[in-house]
Amino acid sequence: MKITKVQPLVCNGGVRNWVFVKVETDAGIIGYGDASGWPGEPVIAAAVTDLAHFVVGEDPLNIEKLWNKMYYGSTFYGLGGVVNSAISGIDTALWDIAGKVYDTPVYNLLGGRCRERIKLYTHCDSFEEGDSPTALASKVRQIVDEGFTGLKTHLAAAVKPPRIEKLNRSLDRKVVQDTAAKVAAIREAAGEEVEICIDVNGMLNVPTAIRLGRALEPFDLLFYEEPVPPENMEAMKQVKDSVDVPICTGERLYSTHSFRRLLELGAADIIMPDFQKCGGITEGKKIAALANTYYIPVAPHNYNSPLSPIIDAHLCTSLPNFLVLEYVWPDVEWTEKVITPPAQVEDGYLQLPEGPGWGVELVEEEIAKHPYQRSILLKGVE
Ligand code: MG
């Protein structure tokens, strides 16, 4: 069997765009992958097209060889988000093909299931207008009533209207207090059994991150996500060593090499690789295994496409150190129309699909109805 064609399929998904990857073979078997990332979806799609020459003509079942061919053939591109997203998209399409060839779900090729369904957490705030206390409590109760046992709030939503000095990464004392008050209100509405996380999106400097972290200590958070930007892991460790709240980071780290540094430094309590960006299933399994040697759990970042949680579920069920998977509510009504069957979320858990490969197929006719539109998020987090 040989790969005959590799093609990106870009679909508008509301506030961002999804970058799917279609890999075709001379046996008629088609694999679908996910290279979604933002901003720069057209750049990721171009990288997918460019990387095709590494794999066309090759046997799609030699995934490890093809991963290394793409990765080490791309080093002069700069091994950041764009190239690793493109590799992730092609890699995940190859795993779908492998599952279809062997007529089994992908998780059976990864060591089988450690668990029968995948625990999710979701977001409870609005980036657009911020949240009134009443609206926030109502949304938290709705999510908890649906069965979710994990919630995430964002500093970006807590400081609406914008009260952050974007360039010097600082917050006034009042904003720190208001953010802690928002977390207290979420705890009050959610009850004692729900895990709460806060994502700072790497917006703070070190002293401000420590100040906010200390203000959050009374709330027994599951994690404090990206308190500072991801490039300087020593700075992340400085925050981790100064606050009594578990630090989670990794959505903007790529390949085992970045995670090796993070883990060796001891700069994270929990890691959150994004399997559509870090190198796909092939690299994601290794990143999780590295973390497991440090007894560190994996809470994957997932803010991608309707296919991405399905792909993640196959890998997460195979990981002994899986903790919880991020799940984001659909922005647009066609979210569940671009895959068939749609994802099954019940009581805060994602059900593992049955059937070979991912157990779902992309609906290309639906994808074609929603062409790329520049993401509204490109204006940046204010
Ligand atoms: Mg984040």
Side-chain angles (χ1 to χ4, degrees):
M1 185 169 46
K2 299 266 189 282
I3 296 170
T4 54
K5 190 175 180 183
V6 175
Q7 181 186 3
L9 303 172
V10 181
C11 181
N12 177 260
V15 299
R16 63 186 71 196
N17 299 273
W18 307 317
V19 185
F20 301 112
V21 176
K22 178 183 183 184
V23 174
E24 297 176 58
T25 64
D26 61 2
I29 295 174
I30 291 172
Y32 291 112
D34 192 336
S36 294
W38 69 274
E41 299 94 325
V43 186
I44 296 170
V48 170
T49 302
D50 194 60
L51 289 179
H53 74 275
F54 288 117
V55 300
V56 168
E58 294 271 10
D59 183 338
L61 298 179
N62 294 329
I63 300 175
E64 187 68 44
K65 170 190 161 187
L66 298 185
W67 193 97
N68 278 270
K69 201 175 167 187
M70 289 190 286
Y71 185 86
Y72 288 104
S74 305
T75 49
F76 279 116
Y77 296 4
L79 290 168
V82 169
V83 169
N84 280 280
S85 294
I87 292 172
S88 303
I90 296 172
D91 176 81
T92 45
L94 297 181
W95 280 102
D96 189 29
I97 290 171
K100 289 168 177 170
V101 168
Y102 296 117
D103 194 25
T104 192
V106 171
Y107 59 71
N108 279 334
L109 305 177
L110 301 173
R113 288 175 291 185
C114 290
R115 52 195 64 80
E116 299 301 312
R117 55 185 190 159
I118 302 301
K119 189 175 184 179
L120 304 172
Y121 75 87
T122 192
H123 299 183
C124 66
D125 45 22
S126 161
F127 285 100
E128 286 74 31
E129 64 273 2
D131 298 293
S132 71
T134 313
L136 178 66
S138 162
K139 182 132 184 228
V140 167
R141 283 309 321 163
Q142 180 195 346
I143 293 169
V144 172
D145 288 347
E146 287 188 30
F148 284 87
T149 53
L151 296 172
K152 186 157 91 182
T153 185
H154 293 77
L155 178 64
V159 298
K160 292 283 185 181
R163 291 185 289 162
I164 181 167
E165 286 280 346
K166 286 175 75 174
L167 293 181
N168 72 20
R169 304 182 179 281
S170 64
L171 301 172
D172 291 340
R173 179 170 181 272
K174 180 71 166 70
V175 180
V176 172
Q177 290 178 332
D178 289 351
T179 304
K182 180 175 180 182
V183 172
I186 293 170
R187 170 60 71 210
E188 173 78 21
E192 289 299 322
E193 293 179 15
V194 172
E195 298 280 11
I196 299 173
C197 320
I198 185 166
D199 187 357
V200 178
N201 298 102
M203 289 196 293
L204 300 180
N205 58 35
V206 168
T208 307
I210 293 171
R211 191 181 202 185
L212 178 61
R214 287 178 177 161
L216 296 171
E217 285 175 355
F219 304 109
D220 191 24
L221 298 182
L222 182 63
F223 58 75
Y224 180 27
E225 178 176 328
E226 284 197 314
V228 292
E231 305 95 330
N232 187 332
M233 296 180 191
E234 288 80 2
M236 191 72 75
K237 178 170 168 52
Q238 196 181 343
V239 176
K240 177 175 171 286
D241 289 347
S242 304
V243 301
D244 190 14
V245 185
I247 299 295
C248 181
T249 188
E251 70 177 73
R252 290 181 275 177
L253 298 179
Y254 311 102
S255 87
T256 47
H257 299 287
S258 300
F259 283 93
R260 179 187 61 81
R261 276 196 61 218
L262 182 77
L263 293 162
E264 283 184 351
L265 266 177
D269 296 287
I270 299 168
I271 63 164
M272 47 173 306
D274 183 319
F275 300 130
Q276 284 72 53
K277 299 181 183 68
C278 71
I281 294 290
T282 303
E283 198 72 343
K285 179 91 171 164
K286 295 170 186 169
I287 290 167
L290 269 180
N292 205 29
T293 67
Y294 289 83
Y295 312 119
I296 283 192
V298 179
H301 176 258
N302 170 48
Y303 197 177
N304 298 325
S305 80
L307 180 60
S308 63
I310 303 289
I311 292 174
D312 293 351
H314 282 267
L315 180 52
C316 290
T317 193
S318 81
L319 303 177
N321 53 333
F322 165 72
L323 181 65
V324 66
L325 174 65
E326 185 169 21
Y327 178 78
V328 181
W329 302 101
D331 293 320
V332 286
E333 52 90 17
W334 61 87
T335 299
E336 297 303 318
K337 293 183 183 171
V338 303
I339 62 168
T340 183
Q344 298 295 314
V345 175
E346 293 166 14
D347 299 327
Y349 286 81
L350 179 63
Q351 305 301 314
L352 286 166
E354 298 298 327
W358 303 131
V360 302
E361 296 291 327
L362 288 184
V363 182
E364 293 188 39
E365 309 77 56
E366 186 66 29
I367 289 170
K369 292 179 191 171
H370 311 286
Y372 169 78
Q373 293 181 34
R374 194 168 172 81
S375 171
I376 61 169
L377 293 172
L378 280 179
K379 65 184 181 184
V381 176
E382 293 177 342

